[in-house]
Amino acid sequence: MAALDILGSRPDEATVAQGFEKVDAGCWADSGEVAVYAERTYAFSGTRAEVAEHYRTAARQDGRRRDSEAAPEDLCFVREEMSLRIVFLTAELLKEYGHGTRPDLTTGAGYWIRIDANVNSGSEAGC
């Protein structure tokens, strides 16, 4: 999953955030279900609207469609058994995940791009 091209797609001038140079990837098991994920963290001084427009286009070109069950403001796309989410970072969210204060990620539109897939559920992806 870490090698999927969409993880490297980003708006012009978005940069891989310092300290997040490698794709974070892994798996977990819960109640018999196994899930795998991969995510990248980007710093971007532009707007959330610019990020949203970029990923709406990139997701469509990658054969993904908007998750019909996602809230209208959520950037969540699905293809087969994989979901793709864009999560804008806030100081509170970074603190919750142990990343402290990061003005480079909370000024402008810092964000995570994350792909998840349930390995053995046979269910369709969703956000």
Side-chain angles (χ1 to χ4, degrees):
M1 292 204 45
L4 291 172
D5 289 341
I6 192 88
L7 288 172
S9 175
R10 60 185 183 211
D12 291 340
E13 299 181 29
T15 59
V16 174
Q18 185 176 7
F20 295 91
E21 288 82 5
K22 294 185 179 185
V23 172
D24 179 21
C27 65
W28 54 269
D30 184 24
S31 303
E33 289 209 16
V34 176
V36 294
Y37 73 90
E39 72 182 23
R40 296 265 0 210
T41 303
Y42 290 104
F44 182 59
S45 60
T47 67
R48 289 181 176 196
E50 290 171 296
V51 171
E53 181 60 31
H54 173 83
Y55 285 105
R56 283 186 188 110
T57 300
R60 186 176 54 254
Q61 291 172 343
D62 196 40
R64 299 174 188 277
R65 61 178 168 71
R66 189 178 178 291
D67 183 353
S68 60
E69 295 183 22
E73 66 276 4
D74 288 346
L75 291 172
C76 181
F77 308 93
V78 293
R79 183 180 77 193
E80 300 161 1
E81 56 280 332
M82 288 188 284
S83 63
L84 168 72
R85 294 177 207 221
I86 309 303
V87 177
F88 293 105
L89 300 175
T90 63
E92 294 81 16
L93 187 59
L94 289 166
K95 184 177 178 181
E96 179 181 332
Y97 283 91
H99 298 300
T101 304
R102 294 288 304 259
D104 60 325
L105 295 177
T106 56
T107 304
Y111 64 94
W112 285 324
I113 175 173
R114 181 180 175 118
I115 297 177
D116 292 286
N118 290 330
V119 176
N120 60 346
S121 71
S123 63
E124 195 170 309
C127 295

